């Protein structure tokens, strides 16, 4: 088989302006029209629109530049190179593990491609509680359409893998509706290793879509370069201070330091990191909103042993879901949850499953026959679901304090019950709630009785998340949020936030398309303001 083309390496050979790490020294000073912190979903959309409008752009990314030639479907390589804290980022009490990208393209390079528009119920809640009247389906429709067309968000035409098909089989048997998940892929090989970077460039991440356009238009990309702080004075950012970092995110004693001056600054570091930059910068926060209401979609899981081989590592990672347990109650009632079937890979499974020693070894021997369901808990819509708070450690690094309240854990219990029942309906021989005190149960009645009695406590209940939102929330007035409805910081006139930290609650669905659509709107507005154009050119 001939070697696949690598558009990133080809672009570097054409002379893209990439500096940092192995790509050459970063200048001590840089100036531009717009400096963008981060290179993920919000940064990529913003960079393309700004660069195509003729503005000079500098993109600052803490992680490395890796491309399809580097993606070899190996967990041992992908997690240390492409994820925050080697895919082991955790909340302050270690009760929640967080998967979050740290590379060019951010989490879009390593996500599982699931694409949902922001649910109407979420938009309605934002309008009612945060004054975001213009954030409605009709107003956002053209921006979602543009993003979907640009990133090839479309229905998945191939049959679901067995891991997803079992979700459908069990749910349908119980009368629970199941729907297909749209994916942002083009020419997908159905490999199933999306979380390790796409080796065929089928995933339409920022790495292969918007960022190459920005670089072709002359944008500068700084990699392995950390945005340490913004220099804020007189209601404006005066400069961005950066430092070079090694691949393991440490700062060497002789690390290069860079000062970037710009007309405007866009913070797109992702929830957790974006609030942390503002905290390190001692940015104005008169109403104590910064870093507050940071949301995760806490995820709980149940595993099942099936008679047939499941091989959850093969095929599209998430192609089916059900919102039945989101729609069954009011949005501000008991915590709702969305059910999906995640991909299964040895390392991520072994570090998530409960137990140790021989019992865990016995479980892992059943890996080819293992099926897993996950529940995304929808947080942020109830007074007992306030999310978490981003704080700074002594060295200035970010950490998320995220209390798992009784309200949240009630949702976790109900989710485990729902998933176990679906798995038994799908033919499971045994089901294991992913909880340190659970064991394998052989009947639905046995599992139900056990789950009803499990102590739903942090560290006993295994909780993970790959969706981080909030911390720099949008609001119609400065008392309820950090950022104005147009994305500009309430107290800093030349600073915008364009990432998932904007969301006032969790989304209630995988958030990447929400970021694409909403930031598309905000970035077009920024182009208009900076260029004086009556209308910004939409995404190509």
């Amino acid at each position: 088989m001939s070697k696949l083309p690598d558009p990133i390496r080809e672009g570097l050979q054409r002379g893209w302006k990439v500096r940092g790490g192995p790509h050459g020294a970063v200048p001590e000073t840089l100036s531009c029209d717009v400096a963008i912190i981060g290179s993920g979903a919000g940064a990529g959309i913003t960079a393309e629109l700004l660069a195509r409008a003729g503005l000079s752009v500098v993109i600052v990314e803490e992680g490395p530049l890796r491309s399809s030639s580097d993606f070899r479907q190996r967990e041992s390589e992908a997690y240390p190179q492409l994820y925050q804290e080697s895919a082991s980022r955790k909340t302050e009490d270690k009760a929640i593990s967080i998967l979050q990208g740290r590379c060019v393209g951010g989490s879009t390079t390593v996500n599982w491609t699931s694409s949902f528009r922001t649910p109407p119920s979420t938009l309605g809640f934002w309008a009612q509680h945060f004054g975001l009247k213009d954030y409605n389906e009709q107003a956002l429709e053209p921006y979602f359409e543009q993003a979907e067309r640009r990133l090839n968000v479309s229905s998945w035409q191939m049959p679901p893998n067995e891991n997803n098909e079992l979700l459908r089989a069990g749910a349908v048997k119980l009368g629970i509706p199941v729907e297909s998940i749209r994916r942002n892929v083009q020419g997908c090989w159905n490999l199933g290793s999306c979380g390790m970077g796409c080796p065929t460039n089928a995933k339409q991440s920022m790495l292969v879509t918007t960022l190459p356009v920005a670089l072709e238009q002359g944008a500068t990309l700084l990699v392995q370069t950390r945005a340490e702080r913004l220099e804020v004075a007189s209601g404006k950012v005066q400069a961005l201070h950066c430092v070079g970092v090694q691949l393991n995110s440490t700062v060497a004693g002789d690390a290069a330091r860079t000062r970037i001056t710009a007309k405007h600054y866009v913070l797109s570091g992702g929830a957790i990191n974006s609030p942390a930059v503002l905290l390190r910068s001692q940015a104005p926060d008169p109403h104590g909103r910064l870093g507050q209401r940071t949301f995760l979609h806490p995820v709980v899981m149940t595993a099942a042993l099936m008679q047939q081989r499941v091989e959850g590592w093969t095929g599209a990672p998430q192609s089916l879901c059900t919102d039945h347990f989101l729609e069954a109650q009011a949005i501000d009632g008991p915590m709702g949850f969305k059910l999906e079937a995640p991909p299964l890979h040895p390392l991520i499974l072994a570090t998530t499953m409960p137990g140790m020693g021989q019992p865990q070894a016995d479980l892992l021997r059943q890996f080819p026959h293992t099926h897993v369901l996950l529940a995304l808990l929808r947080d942020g819509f109830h007074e007992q679901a306030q999310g978490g708070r981003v704080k700074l450690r002594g060295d200035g690094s970010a950490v998320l304090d995220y209390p798992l309240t009784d309200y949240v854990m009630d949702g976790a219990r109900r989710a485990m019950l729902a998933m176990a029942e679906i798995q038994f309906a799908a033919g499971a021989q045994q089901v294991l709630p992913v909880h340190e005190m659970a064991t394998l149960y052989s009947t639905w009645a046995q599992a139900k009785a056990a789950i009803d009695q499990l102590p739903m406590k942090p560290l006993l209940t295994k909780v993970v998340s790959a969706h981080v939102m909030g911390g720099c929330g949008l609001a119609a007035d400065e008392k309820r949020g950090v950022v104005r409805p147009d994305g500009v910081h309430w107290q800093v006139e030349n600073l915008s936030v364009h990432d998932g930290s904007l969301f006032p609650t969790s989304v209630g669905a995988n958030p990447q398309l929400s970021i694409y659509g909403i930031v598309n709107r905000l970035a077009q507005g920024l182009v208009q303001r900076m260029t004086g154009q009556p209308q910004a050119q939409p995404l190509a």
Side-chain angles (χ1 to χ4, degrees):
M1 184 175 66
S2 61
K3 189 175 181 180
L4 290 169
D6 185 332
I8 302 303
R9 293 193 178 183
E10 292 170 0
L12 291 171
Q13 291 173 357
R14 286 197 303 274
W16 283 354
K17 292 187 286 187
V18 179
R19 300 290 182 269
H23 304 282
V26 177
E28 290 185 8
T29 60
L30 283 168
S31 62
C32 57
D33 291 320
V34 184
I36 302 174
I37 299 169
S39 66
I45 295 289
T46 302
E48 174 176 323
L49 289 169
L50 293 172
R52 286 174 54 226
L55 295 164
S56 60
V57 175
V58 173
I59 305 160
V60 181
E61 169 57 52
E62 181 182 37
L65 174 59
R66 294 290 184 266
S67 60
S68 54
S69 300
D70 305 303
F71 301 150
R72 300 191 291 177
Q73 300 177 282
R74 296 177 182 173
E75 291 180 283
S76 60
E77 296 176 0
Y79 300 153
Q81 293 190 36
L82 306 178
Y83 285 79
Q84 294 283 346
E85 302 176 39
S86 298
S88 60
R89 172 170 268 189
K90 296 183 183 297
T91 51
E92 189 174 36
D93 62 358
K94 309 295 189 290
I96 308 176
S97 298
I98 303 170
L99 293 176
Q100 196 174 21
R102 180 183 164 271
C103 57
V104 174
S107 292
T108 75
T109 298
V110 295
N111 70 21
W112 300 337
T113 77
S114 303
S115 301
F116 300 91
R117 292 189 183 187
T118 314
S121 56
T122 298
L123 295 175
F125 190 91
W126 293 358
Q128 179 181 356
H129 294 274
F130 298 92
L132 299 174
K133 306 297 184 184
D134 290 337
Y135 280 75
N136 56 64
E137 286 185 273
Q138 183 178 1
L140 292 172
E141 173 78 19
Y143 301 101
F144 278 127
E145 285 187 351
Q146 291 168 18
E148 289 162 350
R149 186 168 56 250
R150 175 71 179 89
L151 304 173
N152 206 59
V153 173
S154 56
S155 299
W156 181 235
Q157 299 300 319
M158 297 187 71
N161 66 4
E162 183 69 5
N163 201 43
N164 281 269
E165 190 57 54
L166 286 166
L167 166 59
R168 172 157 49 200
V172 169
K173 191 169 182 180
L174 296 172
I176 295 170
V178 172
E179 64 183 64
S180 296
I181 298 175
R182 294 188 302 162
R183 308 180 64 219
N184 62 312
V185 295
Q186 189 169 31
C188 179
W189 289 29
N190 206 28
L191 297 175
S193 58
C194 307
M196 296 171 236
C198 181
T200 68
N201 293 310
K203 184 197 299 186
Q204 301 295 283
S205 68
M206 301 299 93
L207 178 66
V208 299
T209 55
T210 58
L211 293 174
V213 169
L215 290 166
E216 288 289 338
Q217 294 291 326
T220 296
L221 171 63
L222 308 182
V223 301
Q224 293 175 228
T225 303
R226 177 183 297 154
E228 286 208 311
R229 65 181 180 89
L230 298 162
E231 184 182 322
V232 182
S234 303
K236 295 184 70 174
V237 177
Q238 307 296 325
L240 168 62
H241 294 266
C242 306
V243 63
V245 295
Q246 298 173 338
L247 275 179
N248 61 3
S249 193
T250 59
V251 178
D254 58 349
R257 296 188 176 272
T258 303
R259 185 176 189 269
I260 303 172
T261 55
K263 297 175 184 175
H264 200 89
Y265 299 80
V266 177
L267 187 50
S268 300
I272 298 181
N273 293 336
S274 284
V277 170
L278 294 177
L279 288 168
R280 287 196 297 270
S281 307
Q282 298 183 337
D285 183 28
H287 304 288
R289 307 300 296 183
L290 177 58
Q292 303 285 353
R293 294 187 60 83
T294 302
F295 298 102
L296 281 177
H297 285 156
V299 166
V300 293
M301 296 158 288
T302 58
L305 298 181
M306 312 301 293
Q307 183 174 9
Q308 74 273 30
R309 290 176 70 89
V310 178
E311 299 183 356
W313 61 85
T314 65
Q318 286 179 165
S319 54
L320 298 173
C321 69
T322 178
D323 285 344
H324 173 75
F325 301 97
L326 282 178
E327 298 168 351
Q329 65 244 331
I331 194 169
D332 57 354
M335 182 169 273
F337 48 90
K338 183 185 194 78
L339 297 187
E340 298 173 343
L344 306 181
H345 298 285
L347 180 56
I348 207 75
L349 183 75
T351 55
T352 303
M353 295 291 277
M356 62 187 71
Q358 191 61 47
Q360 191 182 55
D362 293 340
L363 277 174
L364 293 176
R365 280 194 194 93
Q366 298 295 318
F367 179 39
H369 295 265
T370 300
H371 170 255
V372 172
L373 288 178
L374 63 75
L376 301 174
L377 298 171
R378 180 178 59 186
D379 48 351
F381 299 87
H382 189 279
E383 63 180 10
Q384 295 179 45
Q386 297 292 315
R389 178 167 71 100
V390 175
K391 303 193 298 188
L392 298 180
R393 299 185 181 98
D395 63 357
S397 62
V399 64
L400 178 61
D401 176 19
Y402 202 99
L404 288 169
T405 64
D406 290 344
Y407 171 82
V408 175
M409 299 311 275
D410 170 72
R413 189 189 305 277
R414 289 184 291 104
M416 283 187 173
L417 287 166
M419 292 186 291
E421 185 175 15
I422 288 171
Q423 287 172 317
F424 277 115
Q429 295 181 314
Q430 293 179 300
V431 169
L432 174 66
V434 182
H435 186 289
E436 289 294 342
M437 296 181 67
T439 61
L440 287 162
Y441 306 112
S442 299
T443 66
W444 162 231
Q446 187 184 46
K448 182 179 185 301
I451 294 170
D452 280 337
Q453 296 302 314
L454 286 174
M456 302 302 286
K457 300 294 183 183
L459 300 173
L460 290 178
T461 308
K462 286 292 191 86
V463 183
V464 301
S465 186
H467 303 158
V468 192
M469 301 150 283
C472 298
L474 289 162
D477 59 77
E478 63 180 50
K479 292 183 179 180
R480 288 184 284 179
V482 175
V483 174
R484 301 181 335 205
D486 63 0
V488 177
H489 193 283
W490 272 108
Q491 288 83 32
V492 185
E493 64 183 71
N494 64 338
L495 172 63
S496 295
V497 179
H498 286 187
D499 61 17
S501 68
L502 291 167
F503 301 155
T505 65
S506 76
V507 174
N510 308 58
Q512 73 157 342
L513 184 52
S514 289
I515 299 172
Y516 291 145
I518 289 171
V519 168
N520 181 24
R521 181 190 195 186
L522 299 179
Q524 289 189 40
L526 179 59
V527 167
Q528 289 176 264
R529 294 192 299 274
M530 292 198 68
T531 64
Q533 297 174 5
Q535 185 173 350
Q537 188 176 4
L539 282 171

